[in-house]
Amino acid sequence: MTALNETHAPGLRSWVPAANLPGSDFPIQNLPFGIFQTADGQPPRGGVAIGDQIFDLGHGASSGLFDAAAQQAALAACADSLNPLMALGQRAQSALRLALSRLLQEGSAQEAAARGCLVPMRAATLHMPVRISNYTDFFTSIYHATNSGRQARPDNPLFSNFKSIPTAYHGRASSIRLSGTPCVRPKGQTLPKGAKDPVFGASRKLDFEFEIGAYIGVGNALGDAIPLANADEHLFGLCLFNDWSARDIQSWETQPLGPFQGKNFLSSVSPWVVTLEALAPFRAPAPDRGADAPPLLPHLHTEADRAQGALDLRMDVLIQTEAMRRDGLAPHVITSPRFADQYWTTFQAIAHHTVNGCNLETGDLLGSGTVSGPRESELGCLKELTVDGTQPVRLPNGEQRAYLEDGDDVIFRARCEREGFATIGFGECTGRVVPAKN
Amino acid sequence: MTALNETHAPGLRSWVPAANLPGSDFPIQNLPFGIFQTADGQPPRGGVAIGDQIFDLGHGASSGLFDAAAQQAALAACADSLNPLMALGQRAQSALRLALSRLLQEGSAQEAAARGCLVPMRAATLHMPVRISNYTDFFTSIYHATNSGRQARPDNPLFSNFKSIPTAYHGRASSIRLSGTPCVRPKGQTLPKGAKDPVFGASRKLDFEFEIGAYIGVGNALGDAIPLANADEHLFGLCLFNDWSARDIQSWETQPLGPFQGKNFLSSVSPWVVTLEALAPFRAPAPDRGADAPPLLPHLHTEADRAQGALDLRMDVLIQTEAMRRDGLAPHVITSPRFADQYWTTFQAIAHHTVNGCNLETGDLLGSGTVSGPRESELGCLKELTVDGTQPVRLPNGEQRAYLEDGDDVIFRARCEREGFATIGFGECTGRVVPAKN
């Protein structure tokens, strides 16, 4: 487990003023990585968010601001994806974080040189941070599993394997896009209630799923399992992830092979990747498994994972409809899940994924599955919030939503907060629903 | 649909003697693509199989043997994967095929120059032909679906969506390897019969699945469906595909999200990719859908697909156990499926995959799912052949196989045969089962 070090010190302040504002997602304790581009014709390249600025890592490397280990990482980050940096491993990444923390803090002797490496965020275009190799979606929330299972099987909501296996399925990597990409309402086959034969058309049950995405840094060779005790060495960082879902397409196709076209039309990731090291102060105990749980098999159990495998991350889903935008109404929070409620930890997911010898690769994305908690205010998708559309969510202007409608903006936010530590934000993952193509 | 042309003429013979031998997989009418390497230190590069030789496309390009269109394709094939060639589209690929056919046929004026581009297959190492971007596995055999469904649900073997949707799930691209890669028996969780809690250990139900793999050449943009009428323009070619499966791991994990660790430890592809153009003489009518079938929704129906969407391809699975090798016994054919029996065509699979806007990419692999026919001698996996291990297959030396045992070689072969045309072979896709790692 990553130890706390000087980069986490709550008293650290940056000479970038916006980094110190209360509510900033990007204080000097965060330093998330992304890929950005400026209008000057330079290609997309790696940067680090600090307040309302981006620190250009290539510029930093060519300015002689880094020691050898940090320089190696900064040079790797000059590519058009973070993959080369991710593949380097945590030692080099950590050296770069330490160097950046020292450069960007108040009183740094190198402030003047470092200032020359800043690009205002508003002047930059953000790109996909990671070239995603393979995408796997887990199913780690017992509340999500139970709530969605109950709709299909009232007598048997939770399958008997749920408490033994961090269940997962492979998802589609090619259709993962950056936050801000419009979500075109997908078409597909659905079986209308009571109908004998399916019909073809635009989905009428378009949903979001608020997940946390985990990026693999260093992978494993085919045939070599990653032990749970080492799983954190393979995790580069986390992002916000919207696994857009067409529930009517999904429910008709899902037997016997699981979700496919109900999911693979689009998924969205946030632009900034928050490193595991930045999140060290917010590690939390994995939740109690329940009195009726079977014993954890050895490859899914370590004391450290029980004690610190979860992450205390609070999440918000906001909706802003076309009418709300027209009337100048701000996006409205409809639900606020907590990532620490997930039954299975991210590290258990990595250990499970590889225990049969399956190889993870740099740039793989593991979705947590929908993050849902025990309370109604903590459910991570509309299928749960509205009980499959039968109990619509009410918005402040009197509008209701059973499922998403064309024109709706879906906005995800998340932050780690802990008394005595700086708040770490994830930025946003957004998308607007647009009508199906003719 | 690809028309017949001079490259398919049955009378064509090559000046490479082995290409003309009866039973050769690689006559001049085939010309499949692969990636090979020689011991002289040159990097892996593209080649075409002809008899017992490989035609080195880079060497051909630098020898001035091609016209402009063929030259463009040959240069694209100089890479360490076929992806750049695949991305070029069928016009350039077809020009290269025509040029090769003319170069390699008896009487070619350029025989002497072309002879300098040949590498004996036995002197070459074959590599993965394609850098696989995304892998999707379909479920297109109604016999496989019914037989395997019956084992889980005797009263309801075939789900109600089978005849409406070419069902599929996303698979793992990272663990797809070249034919010849040993299959390490995977470990995982299984629920022993009658047990309350699962156990962890090596799979005891290791199986093969004989599938046909379809490689996407030119993809589609996110949001743009590929109409069934154009689907063949996106299909580069076919390969043999072994979707190794651990049935005990699979059956415990599969609800509700489908197969995952029971599949993702390894899949194997054959080294040679047979182009759609080479297969033109063997296109066949799609099978009758059955009297009780719902109407095909429009995006899954064209007259041309009904008339020519299937492929008359005969397949064999051979087993050679350790004892058989020791005693000098040849591999034994245990089953012989026919690809033309698949309920859904490869083109329907492409149209379905993209109808919701999901983007296919150059190098995507679509597995057909297990190919099984109506007869016992046509079942494509041991789970069906042995009824989940309860009726073992008998081998000529008296050995039996319920599932695969350590030391077993699994060998797939396939060929297209039609009166009046040269036989087109696919080579082999092989793998030996080796013990689980400690």
Side-chain angles (χ1 to χ4, degrees), chain B residues 23-43:
Chain B
S24 168
D25 276 343
F26 308 122
I28 192 169
Q29 292 83 356
N30 192 346
L31 303 174
F33 291 95
I35 297 290
F36 74 102
Q37 190 170 22
T38 40
D40 56 8
Q42 285 190 66

PDB file of all heavy atoms in Angstrom, chain B residues 23-43:
ATOM      1  N   GLY B  23      -4.625 -32.187 -52.065  1.00  0.00           N
ATOM      2  CA  GLY B  23      -4.559 -32.084 -50.610  1.00  0.00           C
ATOM      3  C   GLY B  23      -3.746 -30.911 -50.112  1.00  0.00           C
ATOM      4  O   GLY B  23      -3.704 -30.651 -48.916  1.00  0.00           O
ATOM      5  N   SER B  24      -3.114 -30.163 -50.992  1.00  0.00           N
ATOM      6  CA  SER B  24      -2.396 -28.966 -50.542  1.00  0.00           C
ATOM      7  C   SER B  24      -3.411 -27.941 -50.046  1.00  0.00           C
ATOM      8  O   SER B  24      -4.436 -27.700 -50.691  1.00  0.00           O
ATOM      9  CB  SER B  24      -1.579 -28.351 -51.683  1.00  0.00           C
ATOM     10  OG  SER B  24      -1.131 -27.059 -51.303  1.00  0.00           O
ATOM     11  N   ASP B  25      -3.134 -27.348 -48.888  1.00  0.00           N
ATOM     12  CA  ASP B  25      -4.019 -26.289 -48.390  1.00  0.00           C
ATOM     13  C   ASP B  25      -3.855 -24.991 -49.169  1.00  0.00           C
ATOM     14  O   ASP B  25      -4.735 -24.128 -49.125  1.00  0.00           O
ATOM     15  CB  ASP B  25      -3.709 -26.003 -46.909  1.00  0.00           C
ATOM     16  CG  ASP B  25      -4.428 -26.954 -45.971  1.00  0.00           C
ATOM     17  OD1 ASP B  25      -5.403 -27.607 -46.409  1.00  0.00           O
ATOM     18  OD2 ASP B  25      -4.017 -27.040 -44.794  1.00  0.00           O
ATOM     19  N   PHE B  26      -2.701 -24.861 -49.818  1.00  0.00           N
ATOM     20  CA  PHE B  26      -2.356 -23.557 -50.381  1.00  0.00           C
ATOM     21  C   PHE B  26      -2.094 -23.611 -51.883  1.00  0.00           C
ATOM     22  O   PHE B  26      -0.990 -23.300 -52.351  1.00  0.00           O
ATOM     23  CB  PHE B  26      -1.139 -22.982 -49.639  1.00  0.00           C
ATOM     24  CG  PHE B  26      -1.307 -22.980 -48.142  1.00  0.00           C
ATOM     25  CD1 PHE B  26      -0.395 -23.649 -47.322  1.00  0.00           C
ATOM     26  CD2 PHE B  26      -2.382 -22.338 -47.533  1.00  0.00           C
ATOM     27  CE1 PHE B  26      -0.545 -23.650 -45.930  1.00  0.00           C
ATOM     28  CE2 PHE B  26      -2.544 -22.339 -46.152  1.00  0.00           C
ATOM     29  CZ  PHE B  26      -1.627 -23.003 -45.350  1.00  0.00           C
ATOM     30  N   PRO B  27      -3.123 -23.962 -52.675  1.00  0.00           N
ATOM     31  CA  PRO B  27      -2.975 -23.887 -54.126  1.00  0.00           C
ATOM     32  C   PRO B  27      -2.973 -22.419 -54.557  1.00  0.00           C
ATOM     33  O   PRO B  27      -3.203 -21.526 -53.740  1.00  0.00           O
ATOM     34  CB  PRO B  27      -4.232 -24.600 -54.625  1.00  0.00           C
ATOM     35  CG  PRO B  27      -5.254 -24.305 -53.575  1.00  0.00           C
ATOM     36  CD  PRO B  27      -4.482 -24.335 -52.271  1.00  0.00           C
ATOM     37  N   ILE B  28      -2.746 -22.194 -55.813  1.00  0.00           N
ATOM     38  CA  ILE B  28      -2.655 -20.807 -56.305  1.00  0.00           C
ATOM     39  C   ILE B  28      -3.997 -20.073 -56.208  1.00  0.00           C
ATOM     40  O   ILE B  28      -4.049 -18.844 -56.207  1.00  0.00           O
ATOM     41  CB  ILE B  28      -2.087 -20.786 -57.743  1.00  0.00           C
ATOM     42  CG1 ILE B  28      -1.707 -19.349 -58.144  1.00  0.00           C
ATOM     43  CG2 ILE B  28      -3.055 -21.435 -58.732  1.00  0.00           C
ATOM     44  CD1 ILE B  28      -0.919 -19.255 -59.413  1.00  0.00           C
ATOM     45  N   GLN B  29      -5.069 -20.817 -56.060  1.00  0.00           N
ATOM     46  CA  GLN B  29      -6.391 -20.178 -55.901  1.00  0.00           C
ATOM     47  C   GLN B  29      -6.616 -19.657 -54.480  1.00  0.00           C
ATOM     48  O   GLN B  29      -7.599 -18.981 -54.219  1.00  0.00           O
ATOM     49  CB  GLN B  29      -7.512 -21.163 -56.265  1.00  0.00           C
ATOM     50  CG  GLN B  29      -7.582 -21.531 -57.741  1.00  0.00           C
ATOM     51  CD  GLN B  29      -6.601 -22.641 -58.128  1.00  0.00           C
ATOM     52  OE1 GLN B  29      -5.796 -23.099 -57.290  1.00  0.00           O
ATOM     53  NE2 GLN B  29      -6.648 -23.074 -59.379  1.00  0.00           N
ATOM     54  N   ASN B  30      -5.728 -19.986 -53.531  1.00  0.00           N
ATOM     55  CA  ASN B  30      -5.932 -19.589 -52.147  1.00  0.00           C
ATOM     56  C   ASN B  30      -5.210 -18.269 -51.830  1.00  0.00           C
ATOM     57  O   ASN B  30      -5.840 -17.252 -51.622  1.00  0.00           O
ATOM     58  CB  ASN B  30      -5.462 -20.713 -51.212  1.00  0.00           C
ATOM     59  CG  ASN B  30      -5.897 -20.504 -49.770  1.00  0.00           C
ATOM     60  OD1 ASN B  30      -6.318 -19.407 -49.400  1.00  0.00           O
ATOM     61  ND2 ASN B  30      -5.795 -21.529 -48.962  1.00  0.00           N
ATOM     62  N   LEU B  31      -3.899 -18.296 -51.790  1.00  0.00           N
ATOM     63  CA  LEU B  31      -3.083 -17.090 -51.537  1.00  0.00           C
ATOM     64  C   LEU B  31      -3.433 -16.384 -50.221  1.00  0.00           C
ATOM     65  O   LEU B  31      -3.706 -15.176 -50.196  1.00  0.00           O
ATOM     66  CB  LEU B  31      -3.195 -16.126 -52.730  1.00  0.00           C
ATOM     67  CG  LEU B  31      -2.803 -16.700 -54.103  1.00  0.00           C
ATOM     68  CD1 LEU B  31      -3.088 -15.691 -55.219  1.00  0.00           C
ATOM     69  CD2 LEU B  31      -1.336 -17.130 -54.125  1.00  0.00           C
ATOM     70  N   PRO B  32      -3.389 -17.119 -49.115  1.00  0.00           N
ATOM     71  CA  PRO B  32      -3.695 -16.497 -47.815  1.00  0.00           C
ATOM     72  C   PRO B  32      -2.510 -15.686 -47.293  1.00  0.00           C
ATOM     73  O   PRO B  32      -1.354 -15.965 -47.620  1.00  0.00           O
ATOM     74  CB  PRO B  32      -3.938 -17.711 -46.920  1.00  0.00           C
ATOM     75  CG  PRO B  32      -3.038 -18.767 -47.478  1.00  0.00           C
ATOM     76  CD  PRO B  32      -3.052 -18.549 -48.970  1.00  0.00           C
ATOM     77  N   PHE B  33      -2.823 -14.716 -46.474  1.00  0.00           N
ATOM     78  CA  PHE B  33      -1.808 -13.817 -45.923  1.00  0.00           C
ATOM     79  C   PHE B  33      -1.388 -14.236 -44.515  1.00  0.00           C
ATOM     80  O   PHE B  33      -2.206 -14.726 -43.734  1.00  0.00           O
ATOM     81  CB  PHE B  33      -2.346 -12.388 -45.852  1.00  0.00           C
ATOM     82  CG  PHE B  33      -2.532 -11.751 -47.187  1.00  0.00           C
ATOM     83  CD1 PHE B  33      -3.773 -11.770 -47.815  1.00  0.00           C
ATOM     84  CD2 PHE B  33      -1.470 -11.128 -47.826  1.00  0.00           C
ATOM     85  CE1 PHE B  33      -3.949 -11.173 -49.063  1.00  0.00           C
ATOM     86  CE2 PHE B  33      -1.635 -10.532 -49.074  1.00  0.00           C
ATOM     87  CZ  PHE B  33      -2.883 -10.555 -49.684  1.00  0.00           C
ATOM     88  N   GLY B  34      -0.117 -13.991 -44.199  1.00  0.00           N
ATOM     89  CA  GLY B  34       0.378 -14.229 -42.846  1.00  0.00           C
ATOM     90  C   GLY B  34       1.589 -13.366 -42.569  1.00  0.00           C
ATOM     91  O   GLY B  34       2.022 -12.583 -43.431  1.00  0.00           O
ATOM     92  N   ILE B  35       2.111 -13.471 -41.355  1.00  0.00           N
ATOM     93  CA  ILE B  35       3.328 -12.748 -40.967  1.00  0.00           C
ATOM     94  C   ILE B  35       4.391 -13.796 -40.633  1.00  0.00           C
ATOM     95  O   ILE B  35       4.137 -14.706 -39.837  1.00  0.00           O
ATOM     96  CB  ILE B  35       3.075 -11.834 -39.759  1.00  0.00           C
ATOM     97  CG1 ILE B  35       2.039 -10.754 -40.104  1.00  0.00           C
ATOM     98  CG2 ILE B  35       4.376 -11.201 -39.260  1.00  0.00           C
ATOM     99  CD1 ILE B  35       2.499  -9.685 -41.073  1.00  0.00           C
ATOM    100  N   PHE B  36       5.559 -13.651 -41.239  1.00  0.00           N
ATOM    101  CA  PHE B  36       6.610 -14.651 -41.049  1.00  0.00           C
ATOM    102  C   PHE B  36       7.936 -13.961 -40.770  1.00  0.00           C
ATOM    103  O   PHE B  36       8.101 -12.759 -40.973  1.00  0.00           O
ATOM    104  CB  PHE B  36       6.729 -15.538 -42.301  1.00  0.00           C
ATOM    105  CG  PHE B  36       7.393 -14.846 -43.458  1.00  0.00           C
ATOM    106  CD1 PHE B  36       8.725 -15.123 -43.768  1.00  0.00           C
ATOM    107  CD2 PHE B  36       6.719 -13.896 -44.214  1.00  0.00           C
ATOM    108  CE1 PHE B  36       9.351 -14.466 -44.817  1.00  0.00           C
ATOM    109  CE2 PHE B  36       7.350 -13.241 -45.266  1.00  0.00           C
ATOM    110  CZ  PHE B  36       8.663 -13.530 -45.564  1.00  0.00           C
ATOM    111  N   GLN B  37       8.880 -14.769 -40.318  1.00  0.00           N
ATOM    112  CA  GLN B  37      10.220 -14.252 -40.061  1.00  0.00           C
ATOM    113  C   GLN B  37      11.225 -15.317 -40.452  1.00  0.00           C
ATOM    114  O   GLN B  37      10.973 -16.514 -40.287  1.00  0.00           O
ATOM    115  CB  GLN B  37      10.369 -13.897 -38.581  1.00  0.00           C
ATOM    116  CG  GLN B  37      11.642 -13.128 -38.263  1.00  0.00           C
ATOM    117  CD  GLN B  37      11.646 -12.597 -36.847  1.00  0.00           C
ATOM    118  OE1 GLN B  37      10.925 -13.113 -35.998  1.00  0.00           O
ATOM    119  NE2 GLN B  37      12.447 -11.586 -36.577  1.00  0.00           N
ATOM    120  N   THR B  38      12.352 -14.870 -40.952  1.00  0.00           N
ATOM    121  CA  THR B  38      13.423 -15.798 -41.307  1.00  0.00           C
ATOM    122  C   THR B  38      14.569 -15.616 -40.318  1.00  0.00           C
ATOM    123  O   THR B  38      14.608 -14.643 -39.564  1.00  0.00           O
ATOM    124  CB  THR B  38      13.907 -15.519 -42.748  1.00  0.00           C
ATOM    125  OG1 THR B  38      13.956 -14.097 -42.942  1.00  0.00           O
ATOM    126  CG2 THR B  38      12.943 -16.127 -43.748  1.00  0.00           C
ATOM    127  N   ALA B  39      15.514 -16.568 -40.352  1.00  0.00           N
ATOM    128  CA  ALA B  39      16.595 -16.566 -39.356  1.00  0.00           C
ATOM    129  C   ALA B  39      17.693 -15.565 -39.675  1.00  0.00           C
ATOM    130  O   ALA B  39      18.669 -15.452 -38.936  1.00  0.00           O
ATOM    131  CB  ALA B  39      17.184 -17.976 -39.251  1.00  0.00           C
ATOM    132  N   ASP B  40      17.524 -14.797 -40.757  1.00  0.00           N
ATOM    133  CA  ASP B  40      18.602 -13.903 -41.190  1.00  0.00           C
ATOM    134  C   ASP B  40      18.587 -12.557 -40.494  1.00  0.00           C
ATOM    135  O   ASP B  40      19.318 -11.646 -40.888  1.00  0.00           O
ATOM    136  CB  ASP B  40      18.507 -13.703 -42.714  1.00  0.00           C
ATOM    137  CG  ASP B  40      17.141 -13.169 -43.129  1.00  0.00           C
ATOM    138  OD1 ASP B  40      16.339 -12.812 -42.237  1.00  0.00           O
ATOM    139  OD2 ASP B  40      16.858 -13.126 -44.336  1.00  0.00           O
ATOM    140  N   GLY B  41      17.728 -12.400 -39.478  1.00  0.00           N
ATOM    141  CA  GLY B  41      17.733 -11.145 -38.731  1.00  0.00           C
ATOM    142  C   GLY B  41      16.761 -10.105 -39.251  1.00  0.00           C
ATOM    143  O   GLY B  41      16.574  -9.064 -38.633  1.00  0.00           O
ATOM    144  N   GLN B  42      16.133 -10.362 -40.389  1.00  0.00           N
ATOM    145  CA  GLN B  42      15.111  -9.427 -40.867  1.00  0.00           C
ATOM    146  C   GLN B  42      13.890  -9.467 -39.947  1.00  0.00           C
ATOM    147  O   GLN B  42      13.569 -10.511 -39.382  1.00  0.00           O
ATOM    148  CB  GLN B  42      14.662  -9.795 -42.277  1.00  0.00           C
ATOM    149  CG  GLN B  42      15.656  -9.437 -43.375  1.00  0.00           C
ATOM    150  CD  GLN B  42      15.005  -9.624 -44.753  1.00  0.00           C
ATOM    151  OE1 GLN B  42      14.070  -8.917 -45.107  1.00  0.00           O
ATOM    152  NE2 GLN B  42      15.487 -10.598 -45.504  1.00  0.00           N
ATOM    153  N   PRO B  43      13.219  -8.358 -39.784  1.00  0.00           N
ATOM    154  CA  PRO B  43      12.049  -8.338 -38.885  1.00  0.00           C
ATOM    155  C   PRO B  43      10.869  -9.123 -39.474  1.00  0.00           C
ATOM    156  O   PRO B  43      10.846  -9.410 -40.670  1.00  0.00           O
ATOM    157  CB  PRO B  43      11.713  -6.850 -38.778  1.00  0.00           C
ATOM    158  CG  PRO B  43      12.281  -6.223 -40.002  1.00  0.00           C
ATOM    159  CD  PRO B  43      13.480  -7.032 -40.394  1.00  0.00           C
TER     160      PRO B  43
END
